[in-house]
Amino acid sequence: MLTPSTDGGLLLFMINILDYGAGNLTSVRLAFERLGTTPRILTEASQYQGGRILFPGVGSAASGMAGVKARGFDRLLQDAIKASTPVLGICLGMQLLLSSSEEDGHTEGLNLIPGVCKRFDRAKEPTAKIPHMGWNTLQLNHHPLFDGLQQNDAVYFVHSYFVMPNNAEHTLATTQYCGETFTSAIGYRNLCAMQFHPERSGAVGARLLENFLHWNP
């Protein structure tokens, strides 16, 4: 159980989950509740009163970006990065952080981490199933979010697209699938994101989320 502390009147462990019509909100909320904190679900940016930000998501890039912009979350995320607020993206929430995605023809992203999002190419491995769905392993670079994890720990994926950041230093973890060694976690300063679903990844995912609660970039 967490012991909350305060800083400038804000609860350090407060988690704000962005609901833009594309989030797997219930399982994410329950995962944090099991860690002893009660997240706040935001349906528009004006509801934000401080604390850490979780940017989840499932679904398509175009509809996801439309929801993000309609609720003002694009500006909220940009302001959070400038203010050094810890931000964690999950799945579609990770993909939308990049400059653009091939999904839905072409979708402009938030460009918070320069790069593109591409679809797996079955021609590289004809027997591979798309979407990539199920458990797969992580090859980790050093980062506080990975404290307590081991190389080749397994986590749960559901996706057809993967990110390619322009700067290799933004890659925090990689995974192999469909003939690709793809980036499965990214980070820059106070922003981190992962393609897999920590809320569905058992003890490994719980440790990642707990590390996020304590992370002070």
Side-chain angles (χ1 to χ4, degrees), residues 88-110:
L88 180 65
I90 295 176
C91 197
L92 180 61
M94 170 178 172
Q95 296 175 2
L96 296 181
L97 295 172
L98 274 76
S99 307
S100 64
S101 174
E102 290 183 346
E103 191 172 11
D104 300 316
H106 177 84
T107 301
E108 292 295 323
L110 295 168

Side-chain angles (χ1 to χ4, degrees), residues 6-149:
T6 57
D7 181 16
L10 298 179
L11 192 64
L12 287 180
F13 294 136
M14 173 58 69
I15 299 294
N16 299 272
I17 300 177
L18 305 188
D19 178 4
Y20 55 102
N24 187 16
L25 302 183
T26 299
S27 58
V28 172
R29 175 181 57 80
L30 291 174
F32 278 109
E33 288 180 354
R34 287 193 292 270
L35 295 174
T37 187
T38 301
R40 176 185 296 149
I41 307 296
L42 306 186
T43 56
E44 57 182 46
S46 62
Q47 296 171 332
Y48 180 70
Q49 297 179 5
R52 296 161 191 264
I53 295 176
L54 191 80
F55 183 32
V58 293
S60 73
S63 62
M65 274 303 300
V68 167
K69 291 181 176 179
R71 292 160 174 80
F73 291 147
D74 52 341
R75 297 184 299 276
L76 174 63
L77 288 165
Q78 291 162 1
D79 291 344
I81 301 306
K82 294 176 183 177
S84 297
T85 299
V87 176
L88 180 65
I90 295 176
C91 197
L92 180 61
M94 170 178 172
Q95 296 175 2
L96 296 181
L97 295 172
L98 274 76
S99 307
S100 64
S101 174
E102 290 183 346
E103 191 172 11
D104 300 316
H106 177 84
T107 301
E108 292 295 323
L110 295 168
N111 199 34
L112 294 174
I113 292 185
V116 298
C117 187
K118 299 179 68 69
R119 183 176 172 84
F120 283 115
D121 182 359
R122 190 179 281 111
K124 294 185 177 183
E125 190 175 321
T127 60
K129 295 182 179 180
I130 301 174
H132 172 212
M133 181 181 298
W135 296 85
N136 206 338
T137 58
L138 300 173
Q139 289 73 54
L140 304 171
N141 295 330
H142 177 73
H143 192 276
L145 283 188
F146 301 148
D147 287 351
L149 272 63

